[in-house]
């Protein structure tokens, strides 16, 4: 590198650092360090994949929803998740990533998606509990991302969070109905809560001490809070919601700590988390096989769209 090139590189870095320090946004046209770009593509792609794979657990109940009203609500919710995936792939494309490559990396297991979507949905109460707990965790994690330093990601998150709030309310409303129903319906809600509570806590990622990316992502203001801070916030939020519903969260160690002014909670099974993230969860193989089949079956649509665009251009 020549002395002039090195000097201008330094100036670019200084300008980037100042933009972050002043809490202004980095936009796709701006210079950015390669590591910042890579981190964003990694996080945004994983997030997009999670939204797309996340359609499957609830999609499982679309044909068996107990009423037309519940079916219409669920259909709208699952479609919203597809929309979230699209906004996020678009945000990744502003960084130079290619959506087709990202999809291929998901299918090949070279990119991750959230651990939470590798668990089965055994009853219709799971639909309510996913809305309450999983969308609840998504909101707790994603509201601070609306202030993320990368403009397209932050702006996508604003709309996504509004829709996630609707999702959480629909889940809670469904659960309130079930809890006002028969003992068997209440039991279904309790059983679903027992199964989804701990995996929901894992959504926030490994403990801070074992999180290789948090420190740098916080310095770049991509992330605004650590994994443990957000997990604690979520626990504090969920306990009164469980009480309002009349369900018990499956953690005997859950109790208010007057000194910390937060709820204490039990040890998360991090070995299980690692197993699920590494592909050994109950539904990992099924989720990816389903995604691959949908991708293969959609090939003719993509070909037709390209042919149509070429015809219009000529
Ligand atoms: N599952 O150093 P950290 C939703 C990975 S969307 C799988 O702490 P980071 C909507 C992590 O990627 C849910 N992998 O990483 C919906 C990293 O691996 P890598 C998705 C996980 O990025 C609702 C390694 O572990 N939300 O729910 C998980 O600083 C209902 C070390 O971790 C987002 O993606 C996990 N749970 O923090 C849809 C939000 N946790 O890449 C349908 C945006 C960690 O180094 C129905 N993402 N890993 O190989 C984030 O906020 C962050 O990326 C974290 C992880 C907090 C997830």
């Amino acid at each position: 590198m020549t002395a002039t090139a090195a000097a201008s590189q330094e100036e670019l870095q200084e300008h980037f650092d100042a933009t972050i320090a002043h809490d202004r946004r980095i936009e796709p046209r701006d210079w950015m360090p390669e590591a910042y770009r890579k981190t964003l593509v990694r996080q945004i792609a994983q997030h997009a994949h999670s939204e797309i794979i996340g359609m499957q657990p609830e999609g499982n109940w679309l044909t068996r929803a107990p009423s037309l009203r519940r079916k219409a609500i669920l259909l709208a919710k699952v479609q919203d998740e597809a929309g979230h995936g699209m906004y996020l792939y678009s945000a990744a494309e502003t960084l130079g990533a290619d959506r087709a490559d990202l999809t291929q990396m998901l299918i090949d297991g070279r990119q991750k998606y959230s651990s939470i979507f590798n668990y089965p949905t055994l009853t219709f109460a799971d639909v309510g509990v996913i809305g309450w707990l999983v969308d609840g965790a998504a909101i707790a994690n994603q509201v601070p991302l609306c202030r993320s330093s990368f403009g397209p990601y932050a702006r996508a998150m604003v709309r996504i969070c509004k829709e996630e709030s609707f999702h959480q309310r629909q889940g809670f409303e469904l659960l309130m109905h079930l809890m006002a129903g028969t003992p068997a319906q209440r039991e279904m809600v309790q059983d679903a809560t027992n199964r989804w509570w701990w995996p929901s806590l894992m959504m926030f990622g490994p403990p801070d001490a074992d999180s290789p990316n948090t420190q740098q992502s916080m310095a770049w203001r991509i992330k605004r809070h650590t994994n443990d801070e957000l997990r604690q916030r979520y626990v504090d939020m969920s306990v009164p919601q469980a009480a309002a519903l009349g369900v018990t969260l499956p953690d005997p160690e859950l109790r208010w700590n007057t000194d910390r002014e937060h709820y204490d909670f039990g040890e998360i099974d991090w070995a299980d988390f690692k197993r699920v993230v590494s592909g050994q969860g109950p539904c990992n193989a099924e989720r990816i096989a389903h995604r691959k089949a949908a991708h293969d079956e959609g090939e003719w649509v993509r070909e037709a769209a390209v042919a149509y665009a070429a015809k219009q251009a000529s």
Side-chain angles (χ1 to χ4, degrees):
M1 198 186 288
T2 64
T4 328
S8 71
Q9 185 79 8
E10 211 170 288
E11 276 169 28
L12 289 167
Q13 180 72 51
E14 274 168 19
H15 185 262
F16 172 85
D17 293 342
T19 307
I20 300 282
H22 288 99
D23 238 345
R24 288 195 292 261
R25 295 269 159 80
I26 304 293
E27 296 297 338
R29 64 176 177 272
D30 295 335
W31 181 90
M32 61 188 84
E34 198 42 37
Y36 176 83
R37 182 189 302 274
K38 266 189 156 166
T39 293
L40 277 167
V41 170
R42 177 187 63 80
Q43 177 165 330
I44 298 173
Q46 285 181 11
H47 194 167
H49 299 328
S50 304
E51 301 280 358
I52 298 297
I53 296 281
M55 294 165 75
Q56 292 185 37
E58 289 163 289
N60 177 38
W61 283 94
L62 280 173
T63 54
R64 291 174 291 150
S67 68
L68 182 60
R69 176 171 177 266
R70 291 291 169 202
K71 191 182 180 103
I73 294 170
L74 186 56
L75 197 55
K77 183 192 190 265
V78 172
Q79 282 178 339
D80 281 355
E81 309 299 358
H84 298 174
M86 296 307 117
Y87 312 151
L88 289 164
Y89 284 127
S90 300
E93 287 194 320
T94 69
L95 290 158
D98 180 81
R99 185 172 136 195
D101 292 343
L102 298 179
T103 301
Q104 200 53 52
M105 285 196 268
L106 166 69
I107 289 171
D108 295 346
R110 284 180 286 145
Q111 279 186 344
K112 296 189 170 86
Y113 60 93
S114 181
S115 51
I116 192 75
F117 302 116
N118 291 307
Y119 297 88
T121 40
L122 303 182
T123 72
F124 199 72
D126 289 40
V127 169
V129 170
I130 288 178
W132 168 40
L133 291 180
V134 177
D135 286 281
I139 294 167
N141 170 255
Q142 290 169 29
V143 165
L145 293 174
C146 298
R147 293 186 294 116
S148 183
S149 58
F150 185 58
Y153 191 34
R155 288 189 288 275
M157 292 318 304
V158 172
R159 179 155 173 189
I160 291 176
C161 285
K162 284 184 184 160
E163 293 179 354
E164 300 291 20
S165 299
F166 154 72
H167 295 170
Q168 198 202 16
R169 280 159 200 224
Q170 71 79 34
F172 206 78
E173 192 260 356
L174 166 54
L175 296 181
M176 285 199 307
H177 267 267
L178 287 170
M179 291 305 285
T182 62
Q185 285 173 312
R186 284 195 286 281
E187 182 44 43
M188 262 168 56
V189 176
Q190 184 60 58
D191 173 61
T193 304
N194 294 347
R195 286 181 288 107
W196 288 95
W197 172 247
W198 290 104
S200 299
L201 295 186
M202 295 174 189
M203 284 175 72
F204 295 88
D208 294 349
D210 299 329
S211 164
N213 302 303
T214 293
Q215 210 183 0
Q216 181 60 72
S217 289
M218 296 268 289
W220 278 327
R221 301 194 183 176
I222 295 172
K223 280 168 84 160
R224 294 286 177 154
H225 303 279
T226 71
N227 300 352
D228 286 334
E229 283 167 6
L230 292 173
R231 190 167 12 250
Q232 180 69 63
R233 192 180 283 188
Y234 173 70
V235 171
D236 293 348
M237 219 172 74
S238 302
V239 173
Q241 292 172 355
L245 269 177
V247 294
T248 306
L249 295 173
D251 179 358
E253 291 176 46
L254 197 58
R255 66 181 59 88
W256 181 252
N257 181 323
T258 42
D259 294 336
R260 293 198 312 122
E261 300 208 325
H262 289 293
Y263 282 93
D264 288 338
F265 54 98
E267 188 56 35
I268 294 170
D269 184 351
W270 291 114
D272 185 52
F273 170 75
K274 282 188 189 142
R275 246 190 326 275
V276 174
V277 172
S278 70
Q280 311 301 310
C283 298
N284 295 60
E286 180 187 330
R287 300 290 184 239
I288 290 296
H290 190 78
R291 180 70 194 89
K292 183 177 180 327
H295 188 64
D296 293 346
E297 283 162 23
E299 190 165 359
W300 70 271
V301 180
R302 295 191 295 279
E303 273 172 14
V306 170
Y308 181 75
K311 193 172 149 195
Q312 293 298 307
S314 67

